[in-house]
Amino acid sequence: MSGGTIHLSTPQREENVIKQVTGLPENNKQRAALKFVYVHYPQSWHFNAEHGFLPSLKKMIAKPGVNGVGPKGELTSMLASVRSKGGTFIDPKDHRLGEYKDYVHYYPTQAGGKWYVDFCQKATVLPTGQIVWNTRDTLEPMAEFAAHIRDSGIIEPLMYEFYLGMVEAQKVKVSRLQGRADRNPSVTTKAKQAEAKLDAMQASWEKNNKRLTAKTKAKAKTAKAKAPVLERCVDGE
Amino acid sequence: MANEILYSDLLTNGGAVAEVLSGLVAQQLYDASDLRSVSTFIPYNTFGSTSMAVTQDAVPGAFGSIAEAASVANTTYTTSEFVLAVSRYSRAYEITDLVGISGSPVDLGRAVKNLVDGVSLTFTDLICAATPGFTTQVNAGGTLAVDDIYDGQFALNLVANSGPYNCILHPKQINEFRNSLRAEAGAMQFQDPTAEMLATKGPGFQGMWNNIAFYSSDSVTNAAGNHLGAMMSAGALAHTMAPVALMQGHVPSSNLIVSTPELLVELSRDAYGAQSAAIAHMYPGVVLAEDNRGVEILSVV
């Protein structure tokens, strides 16, 4: 075979590809957060000035090798342990979560992985690659999320005994702060805040009780109204 | 005057280079906290499983009063257990021959050292991922104060824990604790440990205060707008490390760079690509062994 002369007259166009960087950068100091679920234990509650008593949700991280999590992130053993301790698993697929269904969200990472976050977490990536999170802005949406879980019936309501425990602990805190206020003026403000919180806790509990009592009475009236209908049916037979 | 030898001319003409790499390699700042000391080591000893159940003995009970000649009923011997399941954790660095030829101070040996240093960091991550499992919490919804540390202490004391306790906090929580401590009045105000605790330290161990060993780690996780620190007594956490030495038979001995009971680093040579890799494997497991031995310490992020 002989090599003849060839003429090339139409070069192919090399399209200039602009590399677009998207997602979160990972390095040794900024490691991607793993998948997680929330659980709740009956004794874990806190008080929020706006929303009242809220369940303190516990984040269980699906880190292989931790608390029985399997190599592929299997949570079976971990959730069995949660249930054995009286905890409730907040199933992301629970329809009662409403708009919060599938509450585990993620951002893609630049390496092609997933960085799991709460639904309200926002990130800003600086030109240096540093990630700045909007941590303070997540407090209110997370409080709303906790309030929704409390009101949706997914978890048991706050037990009276735990409420009493919280009130007693707050009373001790107020007393402790008031006892030190004369030696340290900065404690005076904290003591007043603690006192206000104690009042708000008691007011919130009372308000909630009245609401529940009214609801129960309304239900009882409805039941009474239905009873004659049943009687009429029975009579009609 | 003319024809001076200028540095700028030498740069252009090949008589000088813009910069020369120093033979000294400095360490970048990082959190090297090793929290293994707060966890109980359980030797890995399984047969045909990657999980290992550890029995916790029944709690002794006080005797009951029985009438003369009455028969005594048996008491149930109630044991408990926790399960340690190991999982694979690996890391690899690959370096081309040209890096070595260029005389770079970063070589395969340095990469292997870096891998060995990563063992403690891996454990610290695992331990900090385990502590949010404690069911008891203190200080939900505020900055951390000395009172919260006392609350944690009281909670542990209520369920018969013995000191000293260990307390793992996020660096921001440590700052908040110190800030509160410096305004503390009362019994602890003039104690030496209070003054000691206010002094600056690096990551990791921060000192003892009130018979509590404080540790700072940036591996402490966040959830729902809170940092998830923890305080615990001995035995709250347990960890194990599957002995990778058992799989030495799978690896040609000439490829072993580091072989310890907990870590195996092997060499992989790609002659076609003219590059060498150091690959490290470890099989750790961490578990919250007993819930009553610890509390979660929350503070707003």
Side-chain angles (χ1 to χ4, degrees):
Chain A
M1 185 179 154
S2 61
T5 304
I6 58 168
H7 298 281
L8 301 172
S9 58
T10 316
Q12 292 185 37
R13 189 187 299 270
E14 169 79 13
E15 281 191 34
N16 194 15
V17 179
I18 299 168
K19 190 186 171 193
Q20 285 193 326
V21 178
T22 54
L24 296 174
E26 285 180 88
N27 56 44
N28 286 344
K29 290 180 182 174
Q30 296 177 162
R31 284 158 289 181
L34 295 168
K35 206 169 180 178
F36 61 89
V37 291
Y38 279 114
V39 302
H40 178 254
Y41 292 100
Q43 66 270 39
S44 299
W45 291 80
H46 65 277
F47 185 74
N48 178 293
E50 193 177 332
H51 299 279
F53 290 95
L54 292 179
S56 299
L57 302 173
K58 298 183 75 66
K59 194 182 213 174
M60 307 304 284
I61 302 162
K63 192 165 179 71
V66 175
N67 288 336
V69 175
K72 292 175 187 169
E74 307 94 313
L75 294 171
T76 317
S77 173
M78 180 196 269
L79 294 178
S81 165
V82 167
R83 287 191 190 100
S84 72
K85 287 187 274 186
T88 306
F89 163 49
I90 315 293
D91 187 345
K93 286 289 178 199
D94 194 323
H95 66 91
R96 290 171 293 180
L97 285 168
E99 59 174 312
Y100 297 106
K101 198 176 166 195
D102 291 319
Y103 56 80
V104 182
H105 290 206
Y106 72 89
Y107 286 113
T109 65
Q110 288 179 6
K114 290 179 178 178
W115 189 309
Y116 290 94
V117 292
D118 284 315
F119 60 90
C120 52
Q121 274 184 276
K122 291 174 189 166
T124 304
V125 182
L126 301 181
T128 54
Q130 186 192 341
I131 306 170
V132 183
W133 295 97
N134 68 327
T135 44
R136 286 275 163 179
D137 295 345
T138 60
L139 298 179
E140 183 51 28
M142 286 308 292
E144 287 169 6
F145 175 49
H148 179 87
I149 287 175
R150 175 195 62 192
D151 301 335
S152 64
I154 296 173
I155 59 170
E156 292 295 315
L158 171 61
M159 286 166 63
Y160 181 62
E161 290 75 10
F162 292 131
Y163 160 73
L164 285 183
M166 289 172 75
V167 166
E168 281 309 308
Q170 190 63 19
K171 279 180 181 169
V172 169
K173 190 172 185 179
V174 169
S175 164
R176 216 157 52 193
L177 289 167
Q178 282 173 342
R180 288 183 297 163
D182 61 325
R183 280 164 286 167
N184 190 339
S186 71
V187 176
T188 312
T189 317
K190 283 185 185 172
K192 282 180 185 166
Q193 285 170 348
E195 220 171 326
K197 186 178 175 183
L198 177 62
D199 293 342
M201 284 167 83
Q202 289 167 328
S204 171
W205 181 262
E206 286 303 319
K207 189 180 161 191
N208 194 42
N209 264 2
K210 278 182 188 167
R211 189 177 61 84
L212 285 176
T213 311
K215 210 173 171 182
T216 315
K217 278 182 182 169
K219 269 189 183 174
K221 279 179 189 170
T222 318
K224 272 181 189 170
K226 277 181 181 170
V229 178
L230 182 66
E231 278 172 13
R232 277 201 298 274
C233 291
V234 174
D235 289 344
E237 275 182 0
Chain B
M1 301 288 283
N3 296 330
E4 296 92 343
I5 301 173
L6 299 178
Y7 175 68
S8 55
D9 288 340
L10 288 176
L11 273 181
T12 315
N13 300 333
V17 289
E19 57 188 337
V20 175
L21 191 62
S22 166
L24 180 75
V25 179
Q27 180 64 62
Q28 288 187 62
L29 194 61
Y30 76 107
D31 186 339
S33 310
D34 186 349
L35 296 179
R36 272 178 289 185
S37 62
V38 306
S39 171
T40 306
F41 177 68
I42 307 286
Y44 187 78
N45 186 17
T46 67
F47 299 94
S49 175
T50 54
S51 294
M52 177 173 64
V54 180
T55 306
Q56 291 165 306
D57 200 4
V59 176
F63 292 5
S65 169
I66 305 290
E68 187 182 5
S71 178
V72 59
N74 289 332
T75 304
T76 315
Y77 199 85
T78 312
T79 57
S80 187
E81 66 168 13
F82 60 84
V83 178
L84 273 161
V86 295
S87 196
R88 178 186 158 198
Y89 280 81
S90 302
R91 193 175 177 90
Y93 290 115
E94 191 159 29
I95 195 163
T96 63
D97 292 353
L98 199 57
V99 174
I101 291 167
S102 72
S104 167
V106 174
D107 56 10
L108 198 62
R110 189 167 288 278
V112 170
K113 181 199 168 292
N114 197 300
L115 289 172
V116 173
D117 289 346
V119 172
S120 59
L121 301 181
T122 308
F123 257 106
T124 298
D125 278 358
L126 293 172
I127 285 168
C128 289
T131 54
F134 289 125
T135 56
T136 309
Q137 297 175 320
V138 295
N139 186 42
T143 54
L144 192 70
V146 174
D147 284 351
D148 304 314
I149 299 299
Y150 276 111
D151 285 346
Q153 215 177 309
F154 298 156
L156 291 178
N157 188 50
L158 272 180
V159 284
N161 280 285
S162 307
Y165 301 148
N166 291 307
C167 187
I168 305 168
L169 299 175
H170 189 273
K172 185 167 178 283
Q173 291 183 304
I174 285 283
N175 287 345
E176 289 172 357
F177 170 56
R178 285 206 174 111
N179 208 20
S180 173
L181 189 60
R182 70 179 187 162
E184 181 74 357
M188 293 304 290
Q189 187 177 5
F190 301 110
Q191 295 287 316
D192 285 344
T194 300
E196 281 289 314
M197 185 52 70
L198 294 175
T200 295
K201 287 110 183 167
F205 185 61
Q206 302 294 303
M208 294 289 292
W209 183 82
N210 243 7
N211 210 24
I212 304 167
F214 282 84
Y215 295 85
S216 166
S217 172
D218 65 3
S219 294
V220 168
T221 54
N222 301 339
N226 285 298
H227 287 305
L228 310 179
M231 188 192 291
M232 67 207 92
S233 66
L237 295 170
H239 73 273
T240 191
M241 187 75 114
V244 283
L246 289 176
M247 64 181 193
Q248 276 182 20
H250 302 193
V251 185
S253 56
S254 58
N255 286 3
L256 287 175
I257 301 176
V258 175
S259 177
T260 68
E262 58 185 27
L263 176 73
L264 191 83
V265 184
E266 58 183 298
L267 178 75
S268 175
R269 173 71 186 163
D270 172 14
Y272 286 100
Q275 48 197 358
S276 306
I279 307 156
H281 306 289
M282 59 188 277
Y283 291 81
V286 174
V287 71
L288 200 157
E290 193 169 357
D291 185 43
N292 277 338
R293 291 178 185 263
V295 295
E296 197 176 32
I297 297 191
L298 305 183
S299 72
V300 171
V301 290

